[in-house]
Amino acid sequence: MVHLTRKLLSGIMLAAMLGVAAVSTQANAATLHMAWSQDATGLDPHKQTAFSSLRLLELIYEPLVRVDASLQIIPAIATSWEFSKDGKELTFKLDPKAKFQDGTAVTPADVKASFERILDEKTGAAARANFLSIASIDTPDAATVVFHLSQPDVPILTAMSDVNAAIVPASEIKAGSIGTKAVGSGPFKLDKWDPNAKEVLSANKDWAGGATGVDGIEISVLPDEAAILAAMRTKQIDFALLNDPLVATLVPKEASLQLNRVPVLAYHVLQLNPSRKPMTELKVRQAISCAIDRQEVLDTASLGEGKVTGPLTIPALATDPSQLFCYKRDVEKAKKLMSEAGYADGFSATVIGATGEPPTAAAEAQVIQSQLAEIGVKLDIKMMELNVYVDAWLKGDFDMAIALNGGRADPYTMYNRYWTKSGNLQKVANYIDDTLDSQMQKGRAETDPAARKAIFAEFEKHLAEISPWIWLYTSYSYTAQQKNIAGFVPTPTGTLFSLSKVTIQQ
């Protein structure tokens, strides 16, 4: 009887946390009740880098184009696009039905103002480096935007599919309100945001993409993913984004639930800071690479849910990791490199990680701490709240960092912000050389797919050999849903955009 009472009280407490009554899904079937463990850290689509922020903002804002589950470019605000023969002009036709959530039309002036904001260094836009080839922008009529490029730029269209390239109202830019309120043209409006507690979204009736499948989405932030699973068992939650493989792998055991599991382009990585001694020494960085058993990190931290990866995670372009520098653990080689670098006795350093983002961060740090101890590296682990971690990460204020970084459908779009001389996240990478920059620029301009693949294979080989970062593994995107939820399409980018067409079956 005591056990039963505890279970009942637990259910009542959970319902209170979720802010819904036990019968809420019956009373308001057109609202999708959703949960995730990490909340957004901000609302500015051009500046946010945290996955939790991007997953929210892509429901509210739209870019000119987007990528589908097959990583093909498809329309969003733009209905069509065309490169000129010399590749130096990119013309878009806008959807005449596209409207912002305040009822105003999306115009070429809004597109121009959005990209000018992204390109303004003072904005601190996350994807600025993707668009540095834009020399000027013309708006010849009410439906047309023309980007004039300083050089052919094959990846720019893929870059424009990201929510970091979202179109925002020129009026809101002028008012200085981007980031303080959310006015997009996407499928949902943000009605309420209680940071680290709840978001309330309602359908954007003016969305050019047509009617959404639900009237709204209520998102509860529950830091413990085991609590999310418990709420799904009692049908208080319809849909959940899961990050922890320890929890996700339990979902198939629940008869009423469905797990969506797809490989993603995002990668787990140990970022070294090559601007700090002794990581300034190539042989020290290489020693760290040789000392790490990537498969053990994957098996221990993520239950083997994923695969060891090199820098490129796009399946069509990725090199077999066994062909890359020191991907088979070699402790003796690592010790020899440390000795040659003058660090035979090792050194001390601190590695930072974000609590819960990803949930495997602490476990990854612990495995790496144990492995590096074998070559005399004494690693102190410092876990931080996500917003504190992101601030330190963006400043490059760390010796080493455990990170889960986003992948992209094109290698230039994925890495130019880190590994080019003009990259706007050079502070995060803290390393660049002429070879990396040259390979990136060649890959950017090359139009022949086979030639591009060869260029980026050399880029990947060089990046692994100089070891500014130690790439570990790719994993999966996990979402869980009640079996009466239909229409969600998981993708390699991890986007939740297809929630726009999800329906709740009675």
Side-chain angles (χ1 to χ4, degrees), residues 189-226:
K189 297 189 287 186
L190 181 63
D191 295 331
K192 184 180 182 182
W193 180 35
D194 293 335
N196 298 311
K198 175 182 261 190
E199 287 94 14
V200 178
L201 305 171
S202 61
N204 174 17
K205 303 299 183 185
D206 291 325
W207 183 41
T212 57
V214 293
D215 291 335
I217 304 176
E218 290 187 6
I219 306 172
S220 298
V221 183
L222 297 176
D224 181 358
E225 290 194 359

Side-chain angles (χ1 to χ4, degrees), residues 237-291:
I237 292 296
D238 302 310
F239 185 94
L241 174 64
L242 300 174
N243 293 313
D244 190 343
L246 294 170
V247 175
T249 50
L250 297 175
V251 173
K253 299 175 183 177
E254 303 292 332
S256 64
L257 301 180
Q258 174 183 319
L259 179 69
N260 304 309
R261 172 183 178 270
V262 294
V264 290
L265 302 176
Y267 55 93
H268 296 251
V269 64
L270 173 66
Q271 295 183 199
L272 308 182
N273 186 340
S275 71
R276 290 190 180 179
K277 291 184 177 181
M279 271 81 73
T280 50
E281 300 297 320
L282 171 62
K283 289 184 177 181
V284 168
R285 301 195 305 269
Q286 290 180 328
I288 292 170
S289 180
C290 293

Side-chain angles (χ1 to χ4, degrees), residues 91-149:
T91 301
F92 290 92
K93 293 292 184 181
L94 305 188
D95 188 335
K97 301 191 298 294
K99 288 184 178 180
F100 290 113
Q101 291 143 4
D102 61 4
T104 61
V106 179
T107 69
D110 297 309
V111 176
K112 182 177 181 178
S114 296
F115 278 93
E116 287 176 343
R117 181 176 190 262
I118 291 167
L119 286 166
D120 185 345
E121 281 193 73
K122 293 196 280 295
T123 302
R128 177 177 178 270
N130 289 333
F131 304 111
L132 295 179
S133 66
I134 297 174
S136 63
I137 306 169
D138 285 342
T139 56
D141 59 50
T144 308
V145 182
V146 183
F147 291 86
H148 300 281
L149 309 178

Side-chain angles (χ1 to χ4, degrees), residues 268-272 284-298 308 325-331 334 351 364-365 367-375 377 379 400-402 467 469-473:
H268 296 251
V269 64
L270 173 66
Q271 295 183 199
L272 308 182
V284 168
R285 301 195 305 269
Q286 290 180 328
I288 292 170
S289 180
C290 293
I292 288 178
D293 184 335
R294 294 161 173 84
Q295 188 65 49
E296 185 184 20
V297 177
L298 167 60
V308 170
F325 176 80
C326 232
Y327 261 67
K328 182 178 181 181
R329 192 183 195 216
D330 190 336
V331 175
V351 62
E364 288 171 23
V367 177
I368 290 169
Q369 180 188 52
S370 173
Q371 292 177 353
L372 293 187
E374 293 183 47
I375 61 168
V377 177
L379 210 54
M400 304 182 193
I402 295 288
S467 307
W469 296 357
I470 313 301
W471 279 262
L472 301 170
Y473 64 95

Side-chain angles (χ1 to χ4, degrees), residues 2-24 222 227 229-237:
V2 173
H3 179 64
L4 182 62
T5 303
R6 280 181 181 162
K7 283 183 71 176
L8 180 60
L9 284 172
S10 174
I12 293 169
M13 288 171 67
L14 188 56
M17 287 174 67
L18 294 168
V20 296
V23 296
S24 65
L222 297 176
L229 183 56
M232 296 196 78
R233 288 189 185 112
T234 56
K235 300 192 184 303
Q236 294 174 85
I237 292 296

